[in-house]
Amino acid sequence: MADLPIHTIVFEILTRLPAKDVGRSKSVCKQWYALLSTQDFVRIHCSRSLVSSNQRVLLIDDLTCSLRLIISQSNDYGPSSIVTFPFHHQNNDVSILSHLNGLLCVCLNHTYELLLWNPTPTAFKRLSTPDSHGFYINNLDVVGLYVDADDDYKVLHIKRRSGVLGVYVYYREVDSWRNIPFITRQEYLSPHFNWSAGTFCGGTLYFTVCECWLGGTKKVICFDVNSEQFK
């Protein structure tokens, strides 16, 4: 074992471990912590986790929150494991807004705060800031979770408030928000249009947008995550 290169240990062995074991492995030493925190490791670990034997579903009701293994052969669920909310809120106080590779963007319904939450290691990150970024209003705002070309997880937050319309991106790597322009028809940002949550595919976030009244305009709006342009 002493002759094994560190690259072999990290990228051929640790990238195949469950997420909880990867979290525990970070405490082995500073070198392992740094290696397991790199974007390359995260990207490879995610790609190797996306196999049918690793797929799980998160079930939330008024009393419990649990993870259950998906049995693809029988289209059934396996045994469940209880998940404890690390942010000290009841189950019905949490809304899931977007998800990607096991990472969830959620809203705490009592405080309106946005959080990134990984239920497997029960780690989370608050996205709210003193200057009012990272707060979500149901039926007015919309969120999309995505990964850019540098494998950085980001949150697109479209805010529609009284007299305030804006688009903001949260950069996880630098833990900050930035306003970006909405260069298309501004009326799509008005409360007269309903937006779906963002669906990430092939470097693009897709939203369905429709007018609130019957027979109104229906569109698909795309957000290119690398150029940060809407169309």
Side-chain angles (χ1 to χ4, degrees), residues 4-38:
L4 277 178
I6 189 67
H7 182 275
T8 300
I9 295 174
V10 172
F11 285 95
E12 298 303 326
I13 299 176
L14 298 184
T15 52
R16 290 177 166 84
L17 290 180
K20 265 188 179 177
D21 294 328
V22 171
R24 295 189 184 106
S25 299
K26 286 185 175 183
S27 62
V28 171
C29 62
K30 290 182 178 179
Q31 184 183 20
W32 277 34
Y33 181 87
L35 287 168
L36 299 183
S37 301
T38 62

PDB file of all heavy atoms in Angstrom, residues 4-38:
ATOM      1  N   LEU A   4       1.571   2.650  -3.435  1.00  0.00           N
ATOM      2  CA  LEU A   4       0.488   3.119  -4.302  1.00  0.00           C
ATOM      3  C   LEU A   4       0.558   4.635  -4.457  1.00  0.00           C
ATOM      4  O   LEU A   4       0.656   5.358  -3.456  1.00  0.00           O
ATOM      5  CB  LEU A   4      -0.872   2.744  -3.722  1.00  0.00           C
ATOM      6  CG  LEU A   4      -1.397   1.333  -3.992  1.00  0.00           C
ATOM      7  CD1 LEU A   4      -2.728   1.145  -3.297  1.00  0.00           C
ATOM      8  CD2 LEU A   4      -1.549   1.082  -5.485  1.00  0.00           C
ATOM      9  N   PRO A   5       0.509   5.148  -5.687  1.00  0.00           N
ATOM     10  CA  PRO A   5       0.485   6.610  -5.873  1.00  0.00           C
ATOM     11  C   PRO A   5      -0.776   7.203  -5.266  1.00  0.00           C
ATOM     12  O   PRO A   5      -1.840   6.585  -5.273  1.00  0.00           O
ATOM     13  CB  PRO A   5       0.492   6.772  -7.399  1.00  0.00           C
ATOM     14  CG  PRO A   5       0.917   5.447  -7.944  1.00  0.00           C
ATOM     15  CD  PRO A   5       0.489   4.415  -6.952  1.00  0.00           C
ATOM     16  N   ILE A   6      -0.656   8.423  -4.740  1.00  0.00           N
ATOM     17  CA  ILE A   6      -1.813   9.079  -4.114  1.00  0.00           C
ATOM     18  C   ILE A   6      -2.932   9.262  -5.128  1.00  0.00           C
ATOM     19  O   ILE A   6      -4.116   9.201  -4.793  1.00  0.00           O
ATOM     20  CB  ILE A   6      -1.396  10.430  -3.493  1.00  0.00           C
ATOM     21  CG1 ILE A   6      -2.534  11.011  -2.652  1.00  0.00           C
ATOM     22  CG2 ILE A   6      -0.970  11.420  -4.573  1.00  0.00           C
ATOM     23  CD1 ILE A   6      -2.858  10.214  -1.427  1.00  0.00           C
ATOM     24  N   HIS A   7      -2.596   9.495  -6.410  1.00  0.00           N
ATOM     25  CA  HIS A   7      -3.617   9.655  -7.449  1.00  0.00           C
ATOM     26  C   HIS A   7      -4.469   8.390  -7.561  1.00  0.00           C
ATOM     27  O   HIS A   7      -5.689   8.455  -7.720  1.00  0.00           O
ATOM     28  CB  HIS A   7      -2.945   9.968  -8.784  1.00  0.00           C
ATOM     29  CG  HIS A   7      -3.930  10.199  -9.897  1.00  0.00           C
ATOM     30  ND1 HIS A   7      -4.477   9.161 -10.633  1.00  0.00           N
ATOM     31  CD2 HIS A   7      -4.488  11.340 -10.382  1.00  0.00           C
ATOM     32  CE1 HIS A   7      -5.313   9.652 -11.523  1.00  0.00           C
ATOM     33  NE2 HIS A   7      -5.342  10.973 -11.402  1.00  0.00           N
ATOM     34  N   THR A   8      -3.837   7.222  -7.471  1.00  0.00           N
ATOM     35  CA  THR A   8      -4.572   5.961  -7.562  1.00  0.00           C
ATOM     36  C   THR A   8      -5.520   5.810  -6.380  1.00  0.00           C
ATOM     37  O   THR A   8      -6.675   5.400  -6.530  1.00  0.00           O
ATOM     38  CB  THR A   8      -3.598   4.775  -7.607  1.00  0.00           C
ATOM     39  OG1 THR A   8      -2.758   4.902  -8.755  1.00  0.00           O
ATOM     40  CG2 THR A   8      -4.353   3.453  -7.687  1.00  0.00           C
ATOM     41  N   ILE A   9      -5.034   6.138  -5.193  1.00  0.00           N
ATOM     42  CA  ILE A   9      -5.867   6.010  -3.988  1.00  0.00           C
ATOM     43  C   ILE A   9      -7.087   6.914  -4.088  1.00  0.00           C
ATOM     44  O   ILE A   9      -8.218   6.502  -3.841  1.00  0.00           O
ATOM     45  CB  ILE A   9      -5.046   6.344  -2.727  1.00  0.00           C
ATOM     46  CG1 ILE A   9      -3.932   5.317  -2.534  1.00  0.00           C
ATOM     47  CG2 ILE A   9      -5.953   6.378  -1.498  1.00  0.00           C
ATOM     48  CD1 ILE A   9      -2.987   5.649  -1.395  1.00  0.00           C
ATOM     49  N   VAL A  10      -6.859   8.166  -4.465  1.00  0.00           N
ATOM     50  CA  VAL A  10      -7.945   9.146  -4.447  1.00  0.00           C
ATOM     51  C   VAL A  10      -8.922   8.925  -5.590  1.00  0.00           C
ATOM     52  O   VAL A  10     -10.134   8.835  -5.388  1.00  0.00           O
ATOM     53  CB  VAL A  10      -7.370  10.584  -4.489  1.00  0.00           C
ATOM     54  CG1 VAL A  10      -8.491  11.597  -4.666  1.00  0.00           C
ATOM     55  CG2 VAL A  10      -6.601  10.859  -3.213  1.00  0.00           C
ATOM     56  N   PHE A  11      -8.407   8.816  -6.817  1.00  0.00           N
ATOM     57  CA  PHE A  11      -9.295   8.830  -7.975  1.00  0.00           C
ATOM     58  C   PHE A  11      -9.785   7.455  -8.402  1.00  0.00           C
ATOM     59  O   PHE A  11     -10.773   7.345  -9.098  1.00  0.00           O
ATOM     60  CB  PHE A  11      -8.617   9.535  -9.144  1.00  0.00           C
ATOM     61  CG  PHE A  11      -8.585  11.026  -8.965  1.00  0.00           C
ATOM     62  CD1 PHE A  11      -7.485  11.648  -8.431  1.00  0.00           C
ATOM     63  CD2 PHE A  11      -9.681  11.797  -9.298  1.00  0.00           C
ATOM     64  CE1 PHE A  11      -7.471  13.025  -8.250  1.00  0.00           C
ATOM     65  CE2 PHE A  11      -9.680  13.164  -9.127  1.00  0.00           C
ATOM     66  CZ  PHE A  11      -8.564  13.778  -8.592  1.00  0.00           C
ATOM     67  N   GLU A  12      -9.120   6.376  -7.981  1.00  0.00           N
ATOM     68  CA  GLU A  12      -9.586   5.049  -8.360  1.00  0.00           C
ATOM     69  C   GLU A  12     -10.305   4.325  -7.216  1.00  0.00           C
ATOM     70  O   GLU A  12     -11.075   3.411  -7.454  1.00  0.00           O
ATOM     71  CB  GLU A  12      -8.410   4.190  -8.852  1.00  0.00           C
ATOM     72  CG  GLU A  12      -7.722   4.746 -10.095  1.00  0.00           C
ATOM     73  CD  GLU A  12      -8.678   4.945 -11.262  1.00  0.00           C
ATOM     74  OE1 GLU A  12      -9.620   4.153 -11.405  1.00  0.00           O
ATOM     75  OE2 GLU A  12      -8.481   5.915 -12.016  1.00  0.00           O
ATOM     76  N   ILE A  13     -10.044   4.731  -5.996  1.00  0.00           N
ATOM     77  CA  ILE A  13     -10.683   4.067  -4.852  1.00  0.00           C
ATOM     78  C   ILE A  13     -11.712   4.988  -4.201  1.00  0.00           C
ATOM     79  O   ILE A  13     -12.893   4.653  -4.094  1.00  0.00           O
ATOM     80  CB  ILE A  13      -9.631   3.621  -3.819  1.00  0.00           C
ATOM     81  CG1 ILE A  13      -8.661   2.616  -4.458  1.00  0.00           C
ATOM     82  CG2 ILE A  13     -10.303   3.007  -2.589  1.00  0.00           C
ATOM     83  CD1 ILE A  13      -7.524   2.185  -3.565  1.00  0.00           C
ATOM     84  N   LEU A  14     -11.284   6.177  -3.785  1.00  0.00           N
ATOM     85  CA  LEU A  14     -12.178   7.047  -3.019  1.00  0.00           C
ATOM     86  C   LEU A  14     -13.322   7.594  -3.863  1.00  0.00           C
ATOM     87  O   LEU A  14     -14.397   7.893  -3.326  1.00  0.00           O
ATOM     88  CB  LEU A  14     -11.384   8.200  -2.400  1.00  0.00           C
ATOM     89  CG  LEU A  14     -10.300   7.792  -1.395  1.00  0.00           C
ATOM     90  CD1 LEU A  14      -9.649   9.014  -0.788  1.00  0.00           C
ATOM     91  CD2 LEU A  14     -10.880   6.904  -0.294  1.00  0.00           C
ATOM     92  N   THR A  15     -13.134   7.729  -5.175  1.00  0.00           N
ATOM     93  CA  THR A  15     -14.239   8.215  -6.010  1.00  0.00           C
ATOM     94  C   THR A  15     -15.356   7.192  -6.141  1.00  0.00           C
ATOM     95  O   THR A  15     -16.436   7.518  -6.634  1.00  0.00           O
ATOM     96  CB  THR A  15     -13.741   8.585  -7.423  1.00  0.00           C
ATOM     97  OG1 THR A  15     -12.998   7.487  -7.963  1.00  0.00           O
ATOM     98  CG2 THR A  15     -12.877   9.825  -7.395  1.00  0.00           C
ATOM     99  N   ARG A  16     -15.121   5.975  -5.704  1.00  0.00           N
ATOM    100  CA  ARG A  16     -16.153   4.935  -5.757  1.00  0.00           C
ATOM    101  C   ARG A  16     -16.839   4.723  -4.410  1.00  0.00           C
ATOM    102  O   ARG A  16     -17.706   3.865  -4.281  1.00  0.00           O
ATOM    103  CB  ARG A  16     -15.531   3.615  -6.237  1.00  0.00           C
ATOM    104  CG  ARG A  16     -15.119   3.633  -7.712  1.00  0.00           C
ATOM    105  CD  ARG A  16     -14.433   2.336  -8.118  1.00  0.00           C
ATOM    106  NE  ARG A  16     -14.321   2.202  -9.560  1.00  0.00           N
ATOM    107  CZ  ARG A  16     -13.351   2.741 -10.291  1.00  0.00           C
ATOM    108  NH1 ARG A  16     -12.402   3.445  -9.691  1.00  0.00           N
ATOM    109  NH2 ARG A  16     -13.324   2.577 -11.597  1.00  0.00           N
ATOM    110  N   LEU A  17     -16.431   5.474  -3.387  1.00  0.00           N
ATOM    111  CA  LEU A  17     -17.035   5.334  -2.069  1.00  0.00           C
ATOM    112  C   LEU A  17     -18.364   6.072  -2.001  1.00  0.00           C
ATOM    113  O   LEU A  17     -18.575   7.050  -2.721  1.00  0.00           O
ATOM    114  CB  LEU A  17     -16.102   5.903  -0.997  1.00  0.00           C
ATOM    115  CG  LEU A  17     -14.815   5.147  -0.689  1.00  0.00           C
ATOM    116  CD1 LEU A  17     -14.039   5.886   0.394  1.00  0.00           C
ATOM    117  CD2 LEU A  17     -15.098   3.724  -0.246  1.00  0.00           C
ATOM    118  N   PRO A  18     -19.264   5.654  -1.104  1.00  0.00           N
ATOM    119  CA  PRO A  18     -20.468   6.446  -0.843  1.00  0.00           C
ATOM    120  C   PRO A  18     -20.095   7.823  -0.299  1.00  0.00           C
ATOM    121  O   PRO A  18     -19.018   8.008   0.279  1.00  0.00           O
ATOM    122  CB  PRO A  18     -21.227   5.616   0.210  1.00  0.00           C
ATOM    123  CG  PRO A  18     -20.683   4.229   0.068  1.00  0.00           C
ATOM    124  CD  PRO A  18     -19.255   4.378  -0.351  1.00  0.00           C
ATOM    125  N   ALA A  19     -21.000   8.786  -0.484  1.00  0.00           N
ATOM    126  CA  ALA A  19     -20.704  10.166  -0.095  1.00  0.00           C
ATOM    127  C   ALA A  19     -20.371  10.299   1.388  1.00  0.00           C
ATOM    128  O   ALA A  19     -19.491  11.077   1.778  1.00  0.00           O
ATOM    129  CB  ALA A  19     -21.893  11.065  -0.445  1.00  0.00           C
ATOM    130  N   LYS A  20     -21.068   9.521   2.245  1.00  0.00           N
ATOM    131  CA  LYS A  20     -20.784   9.613   3.680  1.00  0.00           C
ATOM    132  C   LYS A  20     -19.356   9.208   3.991  1.00  0.00           C
ATOM    133  O   LYS A  20     -18.675   9.821   4.813  1.00  0.00           O
ATOM    134  CB  LYS A  20     -21.766   8.732   4.469  1.00  0.00           C
ATOM    135  CG  LYS A  20     -22.980   9.447   4.991  1.00  0.00           C
ATOM    136  CD  LYS A  20     -23.793   8.557   5.906  1.00  0.00           C
ATOM    137  CE  LYS A  20     -24.996   9.334   6.435  1.00  0.00           C
ATOM    138  NZ  LYS A  20     -25.864   8.486   7.277  1.00  0.00           N
ATOM    139  N   ASP A  21     -18.867   8.154   3.334  1.00  0.00           N
ATOM    140  CA  ASP A  21     -17.506   7.689   3.579  1.00  0.00           C
ATOM    141  C   ASP A  21     -16.472   8.672   3.040  1.00  0.00           C
ATOM    142  O   ASP A  21     -15.390   8.826   3.605  1.00  0.00           O
ATOM    143  CB  ASP A  21     -17.298   6.309   2.958  1.00  0.00           C
ATOM    144  CG  ASP A  21     -18.157   5.241   3.632  1.00  0.00           C
ATOM    145  OD1 ASP A  21     -18.399   5.390   4.843  1.00  0.00           O
ATOM    146  OD2 ASP A  21     -18.587   4.294   2.954  1.00  0.00           O
ATOM    147  N   VAL A  22     -16.816   9.348   1.943  1.00  0.00           N
ATOM    148  CA  VAL A  22     -15.921  10.393   1.440  1.00  0.00           C
ATOM    149  C   VAL A  22     -15.802  11.512   2.467  1.00  0.00           C
ATOM    150  O   VAL A  22     -14.712  12.028   2.734  1.00  0.00           O
ATOM    151  CB  VAL A  22     -16.428  10.954   0.094  1.00  0.00           C
ATOM    152  CG1 VAL A  22     -15.627  12.186  -0.320  1.00  0.00           C
ATOM    153  CG2 VAL A  22     -16.337   9.887  -0.988  1.00  0.00           C
ATOM    154  N   GLY A  23     -16.946  11.902   3.062  1.00  0.00           N
ATOM    155  CA  GLY A  23     -16.915  12.936   4.096  1.00  0.00           C
ATOM    156  C   GLY A  23     -16.044  12.546   5.272  1.00  0.00           C
ATOM    157  O   GLY A  23     -15.276  13.364   5.797  1.00  0.00           O
ATOM    158  N   ARG A  24     -16.143  11.276   5.692  1.00  0.00           N
ATOM    159  CA  ARG A  24     -15.299  10.814   6.801  1.00  0.00           C
ATOM    160  C   ARG A  24     -13.830  10.795   6.396  1.00  0.00           C
ATOM    161  O   ARG A  24     -12.949  11.070   7.214  1.00  0.00           O
ATOM    162  CB  ARG A  24     -15.738   9.413   7.231  1.00  0.00           C
ATOM    163  CG  ARG A  24     -17.139   9.334   7.822  1.00  0.00           C
ATOM    164  CD  ARG A  24     -17.396   7.963   8.408  1.00  0.00           C
ATOM    165  NE  ARG A  24     -18.758   7.835   8.898  1.00  0.00           N
ATOM    166  CZ  ARG A  24     -19.706   7.144   8.297  1.00  0.00           C
ATOM    167  NH1 ARG A  24     -19.440   6.508   7.170  1.00  0.00           N
ATOM    168  NH2 ARG A  24     -20.919   7.077   8.801  1.00  0.00           N
ATOM    169  N   SER A  25     -13.550  10.466   5.137  1.00  0.00           N
ATOM    170  CA  SER A  25     -12.161  10.370   4.675  1.00  0.00           C
ATOM    171  C   SER A  25     -11.463  11.724   4.687  1.00  0.00           C
ATOM    172  O   SER A  25     -10.231  11.789   4.740  1.00  0.00           O
ATOM    173  CB  SER A  25     -12.114   9.789   3.257  1.00  0.00           C
ATOM    174  OG  SER A  25     -12.661   8.479   3.231  1.00  0.00           O
ATOM    175  N   LYS A  26     -12.232  12.809   4.633  1.00  0.00           N
ATOM    176  CA  LYS A  26     -11.616  14.134   4.658  1.00  0.00           C
ATOM    177  C   LYS A  26     -10.882  14.414   5.965  1.00  0.00           C
ATOM    178  O   LYS A  26     -10.002  15.277   6.023  1.00  0.00           O
ATOM    179  CB  LYS A  26     -12.675  15.214   4.426  1.00  0.00           C
ATOM    180  CG  LYS A  26     -13.160  15.309   2.994  1.00  0.00           C
ATOM    181  CD  LYS A  26     -14.117  16.478   2.820  1.00  0.00           C
ATOM    182  CE  LYS A  26     -14.519  16.655   1.362  1.00  0.00           C
ATOM    183  NZ  LYS A  26     -15.396  17.829   1.175  1.00  0.00           N
ATOM    184  N   SER A  27     -11.250  13.695   7.018  1.00  0.00           N
ATOM    185  CA  SER A  27     -10.616  13.937   8.314  1.00  0.00           C
ATOM    186  C   SER A  27      -9.343  13.121   8.512  1.00  0.00           C
ATOM    187  O   SER A  27      -8.718  13.186   9.569  1.00  0.00           O
ATOM    188  CB  SER A  27     -11.604  13.618   9.446  1.00  0.00           C
ATOM    189  OG  SER A  27     -11.971  12.242   9.407  1.00  0.00           O
ATOM    190  N   VAL A  28      -8.923  12.342   7.503  1.00  0.00           N
ATOM    191  CA  VAL A  28      -7.717  11.524   7.628  1.00  0.00           C
ATOM    192  C   VAL A  28      -6.491  12.409   7.799  1.00  0.00           C
ATOM    193  O   VAL A  28      -5.672  12.213   8.700  1.00  0.00           O
ATOM    194  CB  VAL A  28      -7.558  10.595   6.403  1.00  0.00           C
ATOM    195  CG1 VAL A  28      -6.189   9.908   6.422  1.00  0.00           C
ATOM    196  CG2 VAL A  28      -8.664   9.553   6.385  1.00  0.00           C
ATOM    197  N   CYS A  29      -6.342  13.398   6.899  1.00  0.00           N
ATOM    198  CA  CYS A  29      -5.205  14.317   6.980  1.00  0.00           C
ATOM    199  C   CYS A  29      -5.513  15.527   6.110  1.00  0.00           C
ATOM    200  O   CYS A  29      -6.464  15.526   5.332  1.00  0.00           O
ATOM    201  CB  CYS A  29      -3.908  13.645   6.531  1.00  0.00           C
ATOM    202  SG  CYS A  29      -3.921  13.095   4.806  1.00  0.00           S
ATOM    203  N   LYS A  30      -4.681  16.564   6.229  1.00  0.00           N
ATOM    204  CA  LYS A  30      -4.897  17.790   5.464  1.00  0.00           C
ATOM    205  C   LYS A  30      -4.775  17.538   3.962  1.00  0.00           C
ATOM    206  O   LYS A  30      -5.490  18.143   3.168  1.00  0.00           O
ATOM    207  CB  LYS A  30      -3.907  18.864   5.908  1.00  0.00           C
ATOM    208  CG  LYS A  30      -4.157  19.406   7.309  1.00  0.00           C
ATOM    209  CD  LYS A  30      -3.175  20.505   7.659  1.00  0.00           C
ATOM    210  CE  LYS A  30      -3.467  21.069   9.050  1.00  0.00           C
ATOM    211  NZ  LYS A  30      -2.492  22.134   9.414  1.00  0.00           N
ATOM    212  N   GLN A  31      -3.858  16.660   3.576  1.00  0.00           N
ATOM    213  CA  GLN A  31      -3.658  16.373   2.155  1.00  0.00           C
ATOM    214  C   GLN A  31      -4.905  15.733   1.556  1.00  0.00           C
ATOM    215  O   GLN A  31      -5.348  16.100   0.476  1.00  0.00           O
ATOM    216  CB  GLN A  31      -2.447  15.474   1.962  1.00  0.00           C
ATOM    217  CG  GLN A  31      -2.108  15.212   0.495  1.00  0.00           C
ATOM    218  CD  GLN A  31      -0.953  14.249   0.318  1.00  0.00           C
ATOM    219  OE1 GLN A  31      -0.641  13.489   1.239  1.00  0.00           O
ATOM    220  NE2 GLN A  31      -0.321  14.272  -0.840  1.00  0.00           N
ATOM    221  N   TRP A  32      -5.500  14.768   2.273  1.00  0.00           N
ATOM    222  CA  TRP A  32      -6.716  14.129   1.776  1.00  0.00           C
ATOM    223  C   TRP A  32      -7.866  15.131   1.732  1.00  0.00           C
ATOM    224  O   TRP A  32      -8.675  15.123   0.815  1.00  0.00           O
ATOM    225  CB  TRP A  32      -7.090  12.930   2.653  1.00  0.00           C
ATOM    226  CG  TRP A  32      -6.343  11.685   2.273  1.00  0.00           C
ATOM    227  CD1 TRP A  32      -5.059  11.603   1.803  1.00  0.00           C
ATOM    228  CD2 TRP A  32      -6.850  10.351   2.315  1.00  0.00           C
ATOM    229  NE1 TRP A  32      -4.729  10.296   1.572  1.00  0.00           N
ATOM    230  CE2 TRP A  32      -5.802   9.507   1.871  1.00  0.00           C
ATOM    231  CE3 TRP A  32      -8.059   9.781   2.693  1.00  0.00           C
ATOM    232  CZ2 TRP A  32      -5.942   8.117   1.796  1.00  0.00           C
ATOM    233  CZ3 TRP A  32      -8.213   8.416   2.622  1.00  0.00           C
ATOM    234  CH2 TRP A  32      -7.156   7.589   2.177  1.00  0.00           C
ATOM    235  N   TYR A  33      -7.947  15.987   2.751  1.00  0.00           N
ATOM    236  CA  TYR A  33      -9.023  16.989   2.779  1.00  0.00           C
ATOM    237  C   TYR A  33      -8.943  17.880   1.540  1.00  0.00           C
ATOM    238  O   TYR A  33      -9.954  18.160   0.888  1.00  0.00           O
ATOM    239  CB  TYR A  33      -8.932  17.846   4.037  1.00  0.00           C
ATOM    240  CG  TYR A  33     -10.025  18.885   4.136  1.00  0.00           C
ATOM    241  CD1 TYR A  33     -11.255  18.575   4.714  1.00  0.00           C
ATOM    242  CD2 TYR A  33      -9.847  20.179   3.626  1.00  0.00           C
ATOM    243  CE1 TYR A  33     -12.274  19.523   4.793  1.00  0.00           C
ATOM    244  CE2 TYR A  33     -10.853  21.119   3.688  1.00  0.00           C
ATOM    245  CZ  TYR A  33     -12.062  20.782   4.276  1.00  0.00           C
ATOM    246  OH  TYR A  33     -13.071  21.720   4.336  1.00  0.00           O
ATOM    247  N   ALA A  34      -7.731  18.328   1.200  1.00  0.00           N
ATOM    248  CA  ALA A  34      -7.560  19.198   0.034  1.00  0.00           C
ATOM    249  C   ALA A  34      -7.900  18.463  -1.252  1.00  0.00           C
ATOM    250  O   ALA A  34      -8.596  19.005  -2.127  1.00  0.00           O
ATOM    251  CB  ALA A  34      -6.121  19.720  -0.006  1.00  0.00           C
ATOM    252  N   LEU A  35      -7.456  17.212  -1.389  1.00  0.00           N
ATOM    253  CA  LEU A  35      -7.698  16.448  -2.610  1.00  0.00           C
ATOM    254  C   LEU A  35      -9.182  16.128  -2.787  1.00  0.00           C
ATOM    255  O   LEU A  35      -9.716  16.201  -3.896  1.00  0.00           O
ATOM    256  CB  LEU A  35      -6.873  15.162  -2.604  1.00  0.00           C
ATOM    257  CG  LEU A  35      -5.371  15.326  -2.838  1.00  0.00           C
ATOM    258  CD1 LEU A  35      -4.633  14.035  -2.524  1.00  0.00           C
ATOM    259  CD2 LEU A  35      -5.099  15.753  -4.274  1.00  0.00           C
ATOM    260  N   LEU A  36      -9.847  15.761  -1.690  1.00  0.00           N
ATOM    261  CA  LEU A  36     -11.260  15.382  -1.782  1.00  0.00           C
ATOM    262  C   LEU A  36     -12.173  16.592  -1.957  1.00  0.00           C
ATOM    263  O   LEU A  36     -13.369  16.425  -2.209  1.00  0.00           O
ATOM    264  CB  LEU A  36     -11.678  14.593  -0.542  1.00  0.00           C
ATOM    265  CG  LEU A  36     -10.928  13.281  -0.293  1.00  0.00           C
ATOM    266  CD1 LEU A  36     -11.488  12.569   0.925  1.00  0.00           C
ATOM    267  CD2 LEU A  36     -10.987  12.375  -1.505  1.00  0.00           C
ATOM    268  N   SER A  37     -11.631  17.786  -1.814  1.00  0.00           N
ATOM    269  CA  SER A  37     -12.421  19.009  -1.971  1.00  0.00           C
ATOM    270  C   SER A  37     -12.272  19.633  -3.344  1.00  0.00           C
ATOM    271  O   SER A  37     -12.922  20.641  -3.633  1.00  0.00           O
ATOM    272  CB  SER A  37     -12.010  20.034  -0.900  1.00  0.00           C
ATOM    273  OG  SER A  37     -12.207  19.513   0.404  1.00  0.00           O
ATOM    274  N   THR A  38     -11.437  19.059  -4.196  1.00  0.00           N
ATOM    275  CA  THR A  38     -11.223  19.635  -5.524  1.00  0.00           C
ATOM    276  C   THR A  38     -12.426  19.388  -6.430  1.00  0.00           C
ATOM    277  O   THR A  38     -13.178  18.424  -6.255  1.00  0.00           O
ATOM    278  CB  THR A  38      -9.966  19.040  -6.187  1.00  0.00           C
ATOM    279  OG1 THR A  38     -10.159  17.628  -6.369  1.00  0.00           O
ATOM    280  CG2 THR A  38      -8.732  19.294  -5.344  1.00  0.00           C
TER     281      THR A  38
END
